[in-house]
mmCIF file of all heavy atoms in Angstrom:
data_model
loop_
_atom_site.group_PDB
_atom_site.id
_atom_site.type_symbol
_atom_site.label_atom_id
_atom_site.label_comp_id
_atom_site.label_asym_id
_atom_site.label_seq_id
_atom_site.Cartn_x
_atom_site.Cartn_y
_atom_site.Cartn_z
ATOM 1 N N LEU M 154 5.471 20.596 -1.622
ATOM 2 C CA LEU M 154 5.567 21.693 -0.667
ATOM 3 C C LEU M 154 4.402 22.654 -0.849
ATOM 4 O O LEU M 154 4.100 23.077 -1.972
ATOM 5 C CB LEU M 154 6.891 22.443 -0.872
ATOM 6 C CG LEU M 154 7.035 23.796 -0.157
ATOM 7 C CD1 LEU M 154 7.066 23.610 1.355
ATOM 8 C CD2 LEU M 154 8.291 24.526 -0.647
ATOM 9 N N ASP M 155 3.772 23.008 0.258
ATOM 10 C CA ASP M 155 2.788 24.089 0.282
ATOM 11 C C ASP M 155 3.565 25.394 0.399
ATOM 12 O O ASP M 155 3.985 25.786 1.481
ATOM 13 C CB ASP M 155 1.844 23.894 1.473
ATOM 14 C CG ASP M 155 0.948 25.108 1.719
ATOM 15 O OD1 ASP M 155 0.964 26.046 0.901
ATOM 16 O OD2 ASP M 155 0.240 25.119 2.749
ATOM 17 N N ALA M 156 3.784 26.052 -0.741
ATOM 18 C CA ALA M 156 4.557 27.296 -0.760
ATOM 19 C C ALA M 156 3.596 28.477 -0.729
ATOM 20 O O ALA M 156 3.254 29.048 -1.759
ATOM 21 C CB ALA M 156 5.445 27.347 -2.000
ATOM 22 N N SER M 157 3.151 28.801 0.478
ATOM 23 C CA SER M 157 2.222 29.916 0.666
ATOM 24 C C SER M 157 2.847 31.052 1.458
ATOM 25 O O SER M 157 2.422 32.201 1.338
ATOM 26 C CB SER M 157 0.962 29.434 1.399
ATOM 27 O OG SER M 157 0.312 28.408 0.680
ATOM 28 N N ALA M 173 6.339 22.214 -5.993
ATOM 29 C CA ALA M 173 5.954 23.323 -5.120
ATOM 30 C C ALA M 173 4.625 23.867 -5.621
ATOM 31 O O ALA M 173 4.524 24.298 -6.774
ATOM 32 C CB ALA M 173 7.011 24.418 -5.122
ATOM 33 N N ILE M 174 3.620 23.805 -4.776
ATOM 34 C CA ILE M 174 2.325 24.389 -5.107
ATOM 35 C C ILE M 174 2.257 25.717 -4.382
ATOM 36 O O ILE M 174 2.137 25.767 -3.157
ATOM 37 C CB ILE M 174 1.170 23.459 -4.700
ATOM 38 C CG1 ILE M 174 1.309 22.122 -5.432
ATOM 39 C CG2 ILE M 174 -0.174 24.106 -5.030
ATOM 40 C CD1 ILE M 174 0.256 21.104 -5.074
ATOM 41 N N CYS M 175 2.362 26.802 -5.140
ATOM 42 C CA CYS M 175 2.463 28.113 -4.517
ATOM 43 C C CYS M 175 1.259 28.979 -4.866
ATOM 44 O O CYS M 175 0.602 28.786 -5.887
ATOM 45 C CB CYS M 175 3.758 28.806 -4.916
ATOM 46 S SG CYS M 175 3.937 29.176 -6.669
ATOM 47 N N THR M 176 0.980 29.920 -4.007
ATOM 48 C CA THR M 176 -0.093 30.871 -4.252
ATOM 49 C C THR M 176 0.396 31.919 -5.262
ATOM 50 O O THR M 176 1.598 32.081 -5.496
ATOM 51 C CB THR M 176 -0.491 31.592 -2.960
ATOM 52 O OG1 THR M 176 0.653 32.290 -2.440
ATOM 53 C CG2 THR M 176 -1.000 30.596 -1.915
ATOM 54 N N GLN M 177 -0.556 32.627 -5.834
ATOM 55 C CA GLN M 177 -0.209 33.711 -6.751
ATOM 56 C C GLN M 177 0.671 34.744 -6.055
ATOM 57 O O GLN M 177 1.665 35.213 -6.625
ATOM 58 C CB GLN M 177 -1.478 34.373 -7.274
ATOM 59 C CG GLN M 177 -1.230 35.549 -8.210
ATOM 60 C CD GLN M 177 -2.531 36.191 -8.689
ATOM 61 O OE1 GLN M 177 -3.564 35.538 -8.770
ATOM 62 N NE2 GLN M 177 -2.477 37.473 -9.008
ATOM 63 N N PHE M 179 2.731 34.348 -3.526
ATOM 64 C CA PHE M 179 4.077 33.809 -3.331
ATOM 65 C C PHE M 179 4.877 33.922 -4.630
ATOM 66 O O PHE M 179 6.029 34.372 -4.631
ATOM 67 C CB PHE M 179 3.986 32.345 -2.892
ATOM 68 C CG PHE M 179 5.304 31.700 -2.580
ATOM 69 C CD1 PHE M 179 5.778 31.646 -1.284
ATOM 70 C CD2 PHE M 179 6.072 31.123 -3.587
ATOM 71 C CE1 PHE M 179 6.995 31.043 -0.994
ATOM 72 C CE2 PHE M 179 7.295 30.523 -3.310
ATOM 73 C CZ PHE M 179 7.749 30.479 -2.006
ATOM 74 N N ALA M 180 4.261 33.530 -5.738
ATOM 75 C CA ALA M 180 4.948 33.570 -7.031
ATOM 76 C C ALA M 180 5.328 34.996 -7.414
ATOM 77 O O ALA M 180 6.420 35.250 -7.946
ATOM 78 C CB ALA M 180 4.065 32.951 -8.113
ATOM 79 N N LEU M 203 10.083 31.639 -12.202
ATOM 80 C CA LEU M 203 10.105 30.620 -11.150
ATOM 81 C C LEU M 203 11.029 29.468 -11.551
ATOM 82 O O LEU M 203 11.866 29.012 -10.765
ATOM 83 C CB LEU M 203 8.696 30.080 -10.896
ATOM 84 C CG LEU M 203 7.737 30.956 -10.097
ATOM 85 C CD1 LEU M 203 6.340 30.337 -10.098
ATOM 86 C CD2 LEU M 203 8.204 31.149 -8.655
ATOM 87 N N PHE M 212 6.525 23.499 -10.672
ATOM 88 C CA PHE M 212 5.632 24.451 -10.019
ATOM 89 C C PHE M 212 4.200 24.345 -10.508
ATOM 90 O O PHE M 212 3.940 24.102 -11.689
ATOM 91 C CB PHE M 212 6.103 25.888 -10.275
ATOM 92 C CG PHE M 212 7.257 26.311 -9.428
ATOM 93 C CD1 PHE M 212 8.556 26.140 -9.881
ATOM 94 C CD2 PHE M 212 7.059 26.870 -8.171
ATOM 95 C CE1 PHE M 212 9.628 26.523 -9.099
ATOM 96 C CE2 PHE M 212 8.127 27.249 -7.383
ATOM 97 C CZ PHE M 212 9.420 27.081 -7.848
ATOM 98 N N VAL M 213 3.280 24.563 -9.566
ATOM 99 C CA VAL M 213 1.898 24.868 -9.880
ATOM 100 C C VAL M 213 1.567 26.136 -9.109
ATOM 101 O O VAL M 213 1.832 26.211 -7.910
ATOM 102 C CB VAL M 213 0.937 23.732 -9.464
ATOM 103 C CG1 VAL M 213 -0.510 24.155 -9.703
ATOM 104 C CG2 VAL M 213 1.240 22.455 -10.231
ATOM 105 N N VAL M 214 1.031 27.131 -9.803
ATOM 106 C CA VAL M 214 0.656 28.389 -9.161
ATOM 107 C C VAL M 214 -0.865 28.446 -9.106
ATOM 108 O O VAL M 214 -1.539 28.471 -10.142
ATOM 109 C CB VAL M 214 1.196 29.606 -9.944
ATOM 110 C CG1 VAL M 214 0.833 30.903 -9.206
ATOM 111 C CG2 VAL M 214 2.703 29.498 -10.132
ATOM 112 N N THR M 215 -1.424 28.454 -7.899
ATOM 113 C CA THR M 215 -2.872 28.523 -7.765
ATOM 114 C C THR M 215 -3.325 29.975 -7.938
ATOM 115 O O THR M 215 -2.704 30.899 -7.412
ATOM 116 C CB THR M 215 -3.327 27.980 -6.404
ATOM 117 O OG1 THR M 215 -2.663 28.694 -5.346
ATOM 118 C CG2 THR M 215 -2.993 26.492 -6.281
ATOM 119 N N LEU M 216 -4.420 30.149 -8.678
ATOM 120 C CA LEU M 216 -4.889 31.482 -9.061
ATOM 121 C C LEU M 216 -6.295 31.764 -8.564
ATOM 122 O O LEU M 216 -7.055 32.506 -9.184
ATOM 123 C CB LEU M 216 -4.846 31.612 -10.592
ATOM 124 C CG LEU M 216 -3.500 31.332 -11.264
ATOM 125 C CD1 LEU M 216 -3.660 31.295 -12.777
ATOM 126 C CD2 LEU M 216 -2.464 32.381 -10.858
#
Side-chain angles (χ1 to χ4, degrees):
L154 168 66
D155 170 7
S157 301
I174 300 178
C175 63
T176 60
Q177 178 181 332
F179 183 95
L203 284 173
F212 282 91
V213 175
V214 182
T215 56
L216 305 172

